[in-house]
Amino acid sequence: YNQNQWANASDAAAPTPIESSLLILRGLHARWVAMLEHVPESGWSRPAIHPERGEVTLEALLAIYASHGEKHAKHITDLRAAKGW
């Protein structure tokens, strides 16, 4: 998805509780777990096309997503520490 378009969607500025976004992530991750548990061993090295990175394997895509999540978590914990929360 285009994260800039997502961030600028009309509902993005609406005052909604963070729980709404967390529920979306939890649901997405639950679906991914269900799918990834059924990937055969040969599927992890199978190439796919990423719109920004070109050809990558499923294993590499999962590593990229995990790293992306860790970066977001660090932003949150750094902000909390800076605010004294």
Side-chain angles (χ1 to χ4, degrees):
Y1 71 97
N2 183 313
Q3 68 182 5
N4 292 332
Q5 286 180 344
W6 179 268
N8 291 317
S10 60
D11 65 328
T16 56
I18 188 70
E19 290 80 13
S20 299
S21 294
L22 293 175
L23 284 171
I24 292 170
L25 281 175
R26 284 187 190 112
L28 174 65
H29 291 170
R31 293 285 305 266
W32 282 358
V33 167
M35 182 214 34
L36 294 172
E37 286 179 336
H38 293 93
V39 173
E41 191 60 39
S42 62
W44 292 99
S45 60
R46 193 170 163 195
I49 303 299
H50 185 281
E52 295 171 357
R53 297 175 185 263
E55 188 173 290
V56 293
T57 63
L58 178 57
E59 182 177 31
L61 282 172
L62 191 56
I64 291 165
Y65 186 76
S67 174
H68 185 84
E70 290 171 356
K71 287 178 188 174
H72 279 289
K74 182 161 178 17
H75 290 309
I76 293 166
T77 56
D78 288 351
L79 179 60
R80 288 178 59 128
K83 298 285 187 181
W85 298 340

